[in-house]
Amino acid sequence: MSDERCGADELLADDHGPVAAPVITGATMRVIPLLLRRAFSFPVFLGVLLVGGALITVSLKLQQGGAHRGNASSLIEGDTWWHIAVGERILATRTWPTHDSYSFSAAGTDWIAYEWVGEISLALAARARGIRGLAIFLLALTGILLLLLYYYSYLRSGNTKAAFAACIIMLPLLIVCVNLRPQLLGYIFLLLTLICLERFRQGRQKTLWVLPVVFALWVNTHGSFVVGLMALGLYWAAGLTSFRAGSLEAEPWAPQQRRHLALIFLLCLVALTITPYGTRLAANPFDLAFSQPVNIANVQEWQPMPFGLLPGKIFLVIVLLFLVAQLVFRFKYRVEELTLLLLAIYAASVHRRFILFFAIIFAPWTARLLARWVAGYYADRDRYLLNFVLVLLIALGLVKCFPSSHELDRVIEDGFPVEAVNYLGEHPVPGPLFNEYFWGGYIIHTLGARQRVFIDGRADVYEHGGVHSDYLRIIDLDQQALWLLRKYGIRACLIRRGTPLATLIGALPDWKQVYADDVSVIFVLPDGQRQARGAAVGSTRRGTNGITQGQVFDGPKASAFFGS
């Protein structure tokens, strides 16, 4: 057995005879130094260095600001706020929502909290220490994710130094995916699943019994459970037979192992039904994939990998190195391993949000490659005292770099209409409010029932009724933009300052600007005014989606501003 894989049983082995009180005391005195040595060993130091460096980077980004309109890689997103609001509602009412109550454009639409465990977690963090509690929660999740990735890479490579180097290479891709959303918990569950499967392959049979519990939590937290279920199925199917085809190989499971995997897979399927909504949570990823084309086509995180930006370039370099390494070293791949590698490349290329999935799958492969040249860990050469001092310095650096409440508040103010929403709280608008997609969640969290939104990050709510499509036509100044504003009875607009829509509405004589700052502007249509001269509204009726309908205008040409 190598030095790196020596277990605690060997370190704690004692060849003394029958237990007696003095012997227990002596054994305890020997165990404590051994535990301290393991706690401050070089592999542990590498893990602390990896996590500490990443968390310091995240802390500095939090200080500098990370909230950007529509930026899926930002640290504090618009979606974060409505996730917190949903979690707070569940905690307060002890019930799970079944319809939309946050918007007026899709009021009453069927909607459920697909990620309620993650949302409750965010709400509890916010309750504990406000914005600092959320920052601490973000750093904690990031640290757990990196430690699990480091351990998984070590399991696959058997080399802690190579595992550390592989995680460092993937770190730029990981950092851009760090944000306060339940998906971070989903990827933690994915790593736990992959670790359990790898440990099972290495002979630790009992580890798989953890997976049904993991999937029961996972399905209530994030839709990425589908990837974990796919990995579990691949491991089972790849061991059904033995074959060799070039660099691809498969080793059959023993009959007992195959039955054990099949049983765990079935138990995980059953676990997917343990939700407040029955099987609806398990079906949600498929609804997103096949029934929400507007969401997939227009939300930034679902767009293809941007190869012109640094993360996209790093991704491309890693993929090219993967191809070159295969030509040079002729790696042998297990069926499930190669399938996951190719799936990760495809998913991240087509949808940038899967770049974290790519990093998780490729880090172990990179560690295996580096292990060819990187020497292993030798306990007899370790410097425990030096490791302890360095770990202490890393901890002090993290405490020093952690942003203050003032700095975190400034981040929020730079990215969200904080003062404008405060103004709305003190001066309610006379009717329905049009708002930007990225800001809907913040309005929901801050004003709650006092101000319903036009749209927010719950894209599935607005997809089927056409609200999302109408929003895009309004924000892009389609020829029907002003007609659509009248269709929804909009009497106020909270939009980003300097945008084309803000310029247009500011030029219309019937609209009045009541608030403006460096981030946002609020326009109001005073009582008695109409959005365009000649607009007429006949008898109205209330539709099933909550929109006031009637004989509105005589066509889509809302203004000469758009031409004929």
Side-chain angles (χ1 to χ4, degrees):
M1 182 177 294
S2 66
D3 288 330
E4 287 206 68
R5 293 191 181 275
C6 64
D9 292 338
E10 293 184 18
L11 288 175
L12 303 181
D14 191 356
D15 55 0
H16 286 72
V19 177
V23 176
I24 293 176
T25 303
T28 303
M29 295 301 293
R30 287 191 295 273
V31 166
I32 292 176
L34 289 174
L35 292 177
L36 289 175
R37 288 176 64 183
R38 288 182 69 85
F40 296 104
S41 64
F42 188 68
V44 172
F45 162 70
L46 289 180
V48 173
L49 179 61
L50 172 67
V51 172
L55 297 190
I56 289 173
T57 302
V58 173
S59 296
L60 293 175
K61 290 187 71 175
L62 279 171
Q63 293 180 26
Q64 296 167 2
H68 307 290
R69 175 178 176 268
N71 187 352
S73 66
S74 57
L75 299 171
I76 301 176
E77 295 191 3
D79 287 354
T80 302
W81 302 111
W82 69 259
H83 280 305
I84 296 172
V86 173
E88 289 175 342
R89 173 180 172 179
I90 294 173
L91 290 172
T93 64
R94 300 185 183 276
T95 60
W96 288 267
T98 57
H99 63 276
D100 173 50
S101 61
Y102 297 110
S103 76
F104 67 88
S105 57
T109 299
D110 183 49
W111 176 76
I112 59 178
Y114 299 104
E115 302 170 348
W116 67 271
V117 170
E119 289 158 352
I120 285 179
S121 302
L122 288 172
L124 290 174
R127 278 188 178 186
R129 297 195 63 185
I131 187 64
R132 282 179 67 86
L134 291 172
I136 293 171
F137 187 56
L138 172 66
L139 296 182
L141 291 181
T142 304
I144 293 170
L145 179 75
L146 287 171
L147 284 177
L148 290 174
L149 183 60
Y150 173 54
Y151 179 64
Y152 179 49
S153 300
Y154 160 65
L155 278 179
R156 294 287 301 277
S157 66
N159 188 312
T160 53
K161 296 178 184 177
F164 171 79
C167 291
I168 290 295
I169 292 172
M170 297 296 166
L171 199 56
L173 301 181
L174 291 166
I175 292 298
V176 299
C177 300
V178 170
N179 52 62
L180 273 170
R181 289 170 61 186
Q183 67 179 13
L184 203 55
L185 283 167
Y187 283 115
I188 288 175
F189 291 138
L190 174 60
L191 274 167
L192 288 173
T193 301
L194 294 173
I195 288 171
C196 288
L197 288 170
E198 187 60 30
R199 286 174 62 88
F200 176 78
R201 177 171 286 282
Q202 294 178 8
R204 299 172 177 88
Q205 305 293 315
K206 295 181 179 180
T207 55
L208 289 188
W209 291 110
V210 177
L211 291 184
V213 178
V214 169
F215 274 84
L217 289 171
W218 199 350
V219 70
N220 289 283
T221 303
H222 192 256
S224 53
F225 70 87
V226 172
V227 180
L229 205 62
M230 184 184 304
L232 185 56
L234 280 172
Y235 267 74
W236 174 79
L240 292 178
T241 185
S242 174
F243 74 88
R244 299 286 188 276
S247 297
L248 194 62
E249 59 184 21
E251 297 180 3
W253 297 110
Q256 182 181 1
Q257 290 177 313
R258 188 164 58 248
R259 288 193 297 268
H260 188 40
L261 267 173
L263 175 61
I264 295 298
F265 185 82
L266 292 175
L267 289 176
C268 290
L269 286 177
V270 172
L272 298 182
T273 66
I274 307 175
T275 78
Y277 301 104
T279 59
R280 293 183 66 185
L281 295 190
N284 177 55
F286 302 99
D287 175 70
L288 173 62
F290 301 110
S291 301
Q292 299 183 33
V294 177
N295 180 12
I296 299 297
N298 292 280
V299 176
Q300 188 175 14
E301 66 179 0
W302 290 106
Q303 302 307 300
M305 178 67 67
F307 292 106
L309 301 179
L310 181 60
K313 293 177 181 178
I314 294 174
F315 167 80
L316 184 60
V317 168
I318 292 173
V319 172
L320 292 176
L321 288 177
F322 164 72
L323 296 176
V324 172
Q326 179 58 32
L327 292 174
V328 174
F329 300 107
R330 299 293 181 180
F331 283 109
K332 296 292 183 181
Y333 293 97
R334 302 194 303 261
V335 172
E336 73 277 11
E337 179 184 27
L338 182 61
T339 303
L340 287 173
L341 285 170
L342 296 178
L343 177 63
I345 293 174
Y346 171 79
S349 299
V350 175
H351 303 298
R352 66 181 69 178
R353 67 173 290 160
F354 291 116
I355 194 170
L356 183 51
F357 172 53
F358 169 84
I360 288 173
I361 298 300
F362 260 74
W365 174 84
T366 306
R368 284 180 54 199
L369 175 64
L370 296 176
R372 291 170 169 259
W373 303 285
V374 178
Y377 163 68
Y378 300 97
D380 57 342
R381 302 177 187 176
D382 214 335
R383 300 292 182 268
Y384 301 102
L385 181 59
L386 177 61
N387 296 337
F388 169 75
V389 173
L390 293 176
V391 167
L392 184 60
L393 290 176
I394 293 171
L396 292 175
L398 181 58
V399 172
K400 179 68 175 177
C401 293
F402 189 80
S404 65
S405 296
H406 174 72
E407 290 169 329
L408 292 171
D409 288 338
R410 188 180 61 195
V411 170
I412 305 304
E413 292 171 359
D414 289 344
F416 295 93
V418 175
E419 295 301 326
V421 172
N422 290 339
Y423 176 87
L424 289 176
E426 297 173 359
H427 307 84
V429 294
L433 171 75
F434 178 85
N435 61 274
E436 297 214 13
Y437 180 94
F438 187 66
W439 290 347
Y442 183 76
I443 298 172
I444 289 172
H445 175 263
T446 306
L447 297 181
R450 291 181 292 166
Q451 180 62 65
R452 292 197 174 193
V453 298
F454 180 82
I455 196 170
D456 61 86
R458 299 169 303 136
D460 55 306
V461 177
Y462 307 101
E463 172 89 18
H464 304 300
V467 177
H468 198 170
S469 297
D470 288 344
Y471 167 81
L472 293 171
R473 294 161 70 188
I474 293 171
I475 209 72
D476 292 337
L477 293 188
D478 181 87
Q479 287 189 356
Q480 298 185 13
L482 295 183
W483 178 79
L484 288 170
L485 289 178
R486 288 195 300 278
K487 169 188 172 181
Y488 289 95
I490 300 299
R491 303 301 302 275
C493 294
L494 170 57
I495 48 183
R496 187 173 294 273
R497 185 170 184 173
T499 59
L501 181 60
T503 303
L504 169 62
I505 294 180
L508 297 176
D510 293 335
W511 287 86
K512 178 183 178 183
Q513 178 180 307
V514 296
Y515 178 87
D517 56 30
D518 294 337
V519 176
S520 59
V521 60
I522 299 176
F523 295 100
V524 171
L525 189 65
D527 291 339
Q529 298 292 325
R530 290 292 181 266
Q531 297 180 31
R533 284 171 291 183
V537 179
S539 59
T540 62
R541 58 185 174 87
R542 182 65 60 182
T544 56
N545 60 356
I547 302 171
T548 300
Q549 301 174 341
Q551 298 175 356
V552 184
F553 202 49
D554 59 355
K557 298 179 181 178
S559 171
F561 181 88
F562 301 103
S564 59

